[in-house]
Amino acid sequence: MSNNVLSVENISVRVKRRRIIKNLSLTIGNGEIVGLLGPNGSGKTTTIKAMAGLLKKESGVIHCLDYDMDLDFENYIKQIGFGFDKANYYPNLSGRDNIKIFVSSYRDFTEEELNKCVKEVGLQRRIDDKVSTYSFGMRQRLNFAKSIMTAAKLVVLDEPFNGIDPEGIIEIRKTIMQLRKDRGMAFLVSSHHLSEIEQIADRLLFFAGGRVEKEIFIHENTWDNFTITIGNSDNRFTIDLFPNSAKVEFLSKNAIRISNKYISLDQVLSVIRENGYIVKSVDKSNALEDIYIQTVGGGQIE
Amino acid sequence: MNNFSHYCVKQIVLIKNELKKCVSKRSVFVVFLLILFSLLLLAAKVKGDYEGVFFDDIQEYYESEIRDLYDSLDDSTLDLDDEQKQLLLDQIRVDEYMRDHRIAPYKTQSSTNYLLEMNSWFAIVVLLSIVVSGKMITDEYKYGTISLLLTTPNKRGTIFISKVIALMLLCGCIVFVFIVMSIVFGGLFWNIEGVFAKVVTIEKGNIQCRTALMQMLKKSVHNFLALATCAMMTMMLSVICKNGIISTCVSSFIYLSGAQLTIAFRNSILMKYTLFPNMQLQAFEHMKSEFSYRIDIRESACLLVAYSVLFFIISYVVFCRRNIYE
């Protein structure tokens, strides 16, 4: 058995005559949290639906552990818990009945197990209420409860932070981290919330035009970028002024960009001031946002 | 065998889930309430429809009926053909049998007549079943649960079959409630003994004598087949167009317009093989003297089964192959 819980090899997916996914390959390791980022129409949800077998793929293979999606769909899908963007459940049934309906196809379970799992996601007070009375955040928790109960090795969540209040987002984040820690579950999370993804993911995949355009590891890329503009530039204002000059990027004759991963902002500001220049402005930007903009081209839908 | 028993266990779980989903819907309760309300109205209507022939007068009543039938047979102005003459002779045999065995005539106000009348009102149950079957798959799309349902560890075919079985069980329940409530209301309005009163018919030249209940149940088998075909047709339409209202309306139209279309195209022998006369055999049988062909009840049942299988195959293929964009 490989270390990957999921491997997608060269899949192409066509939706209504238009090829949305083109020769896409990706892997997710055991217990890894992978973020899917990309603008609307970049193919994130289509990729997830192809993994779920909801959209037929034109070519390529998908494996979960040792199970091939095409050859052994039942065992393949048993390893994955899907939480779709709208977190839809049967509105006329209680949360408990919904879990029972979806989990009964996976395995037998006791009421105690279900109660314990519901407590884990903080839904114990409302689990016997009808789903039609749940907020979106509560339905997302139900998604987690269902995924835990299925004992899936991988949980795929499409836009889990959409429409949730900050408190709810913090709880979802905590739940994901806790489940990874306690149960070794891997997660594939698609989202537009860069800051949220940055806090939980080990690896990010940037989607554009149905392909993975860039892949970065979070522990190597968590820093902020600063753009410093000075008010009184002259010919002496060159890269040689700075001690760690290779890490300073000149944007124009009076603007530079630095990353606090390599050089401290205070150090750069001191050098500027010591040489008699006036700092007009300091703009902070997230490196991830910069990478996102550079990679996906400002979110244009193809 | 092991695989088969595993499959059966899986199916039972899925069918249980489907029934749980159906029972939780308000519309199902509305359907059952409508059946009860309609039956009450019908019972009241039937009570007012019949002539006041009392049991004490039946000897005299039959004598007069038989005399009238003989008069019709002898009347040369009517220009009856052999088939029509045979029908009158059959009716005379039935009347004589009923007179000799002191069986209450059908014109008596009784629960016997009410139960026989009920077969003609089976359309209510069919229409209500169409509503239930129209929602079975389209609600999954409406609530957006289709994606979660199809990502459970079951093949799409298995899920579809469980839905069809659950639908048939539900239709069976609706028919059962219809029959039970017919008997209950019949008993309430008249007398419960009428359920077991004798009903005399001629089948293949022989006199058949059954209780009203058995006669009703016998006809209910064909009625159930018509209902199952209608339900399968609605399910097929709902799988194809993913819209509960459209599939329900189209199916209802096909079912209700059946008798009229059969009359309009009565000279075409092909009409015999379409759904229209077969789904409403009761209505067709009342007017069969106008047609150049007859539909045998067994032949009709076979045709309905064939149509149901065809609708099932089409729905199965579409359901299993369709991409889910929602």
Side-chain angles (χ1 to χ4, degrees), chain A residues 49 54 56 74 88 90, chain B residues 10 21 140 323-324 326:
Chain A
K49 291 204 165 181
L54 297 174
K56 307 280 176 210
E74 284 175 59
N88 288 322
Y90 298 110
Chain B
K10 215 165 214 193
K21 284 184 232 168
E140 300 280 0
N323 279 335
I324 309 294
E326 285 80 7

Side-chain angles (χ1 to χ4, degrees), chain B residues 226-241:
Chain B
L227 179 144
T229 310
C230 249
M232 260 332 293
M233 179 172 68
T234 316
M235 189 170 246
M236 177 189 74
L237 292 170
S238 70
V239 167
I240 292 170
C241 69

Side-chain angles (χ1 to χ4, degrees), chain A residues 5-6 27 80 125 185 191-192 195 221 258 266 289 294:
Chain A
V5 67
L6 183 88
T27 57
I80 313 175
R125 282 188 191 167
M185 286 162 92
S191 179
H192 292 297
S195 57
N221 291 277
I258 60 150
D266 289 342
E289 285 171 4
Q294 282 164 22

Side-chain angles (χ1 to χ4, degrees), chain A residues 111-260:
Chain A
E111 283 290 327
E112 286 73 38
E113 262 184 279
L114 200 152
N115 290 337
K116 194 182 157 203
C117 159
V118 165
K119 204 175 172 185
E120 253 181 85
V121 297
L123 207 57
Q124 68 272 31
R125 282 188 191 167
R126 299 287 308 274
I127 193 67
D128 291 311
D129 293 351
K130 279 188 176 182
V131 168
S132 55
T133 64
Y134 283 17
S135 65
F136 187 73
M138 288 164 78
R139 295 211 307 269
Q140 288 286 12
R141 286 173 205 223
L142 198 61
N143 251 344
F144 282 116
K146 189 210 80 179
S147 303
I148 297 168
M149 284 298 290
T150 58
K153 301 280 184 294
L154 167 69
V155 176
V156 179
L157 299 170
D158 193 9
E159 309 286 359
F161 305 114
N162 271 9
I164 301 187
D165 53 39
E167 201 179 310
I169 290 178
I170 292 167
E171 282 179 29
I172 286 178
R173 217 165 51 210
K174 276 185 187 167
T175 312
I176 291 176
M177 301 307 278
Q178 198 65 37
L179 287 173
R180 192 253 288 267
K181 192 180 159 198
D182 295 347
R183 294 167 187 262
M185 286 162 92
F187 286 86
L188 178 65
V189 185
S190 150
S191 179
H192 292 297
H193 294 247
L194 299 187
S195 57
E196 297 306 328
I197 284 282
E198 190 182 8
Q199 289 183 61
I200 57 169
D202 302 313
R203 188 157 55 98
L204 293 178
L205 303 175
F206 290 84
F207 263 62
R211 278 191 296 266
V212 176
E213 284 291 326
K214 195 177 180 96
E215 178 181 6
I216 63 165
F217 288 89
I218 287 289
H219 65 274
E220 293 171 3
N221 291 277
T222 45
W223 69 86
D224 286 321
N225 288 339
F226 293 94
T227 303
I228 304 161
T229 313
I230 56 164
N232 51 343
S233 177
D234 59 23
N235 292 338
R236 284 191 307 115
F237 189 68
T238 60
I239 205 154
D240 301 330
L241 284 175
F242 301 97
N244 198 354
S245 57
K247 303 299 177 193
V248 177
E249 183 187 356
F250 263 74
L251 300 176
S252 65
K253 63 176 186 178
N254 61 347
I256 57 168
R257 182 158 64 194
I258 60 150
S259 295
N260 65 356

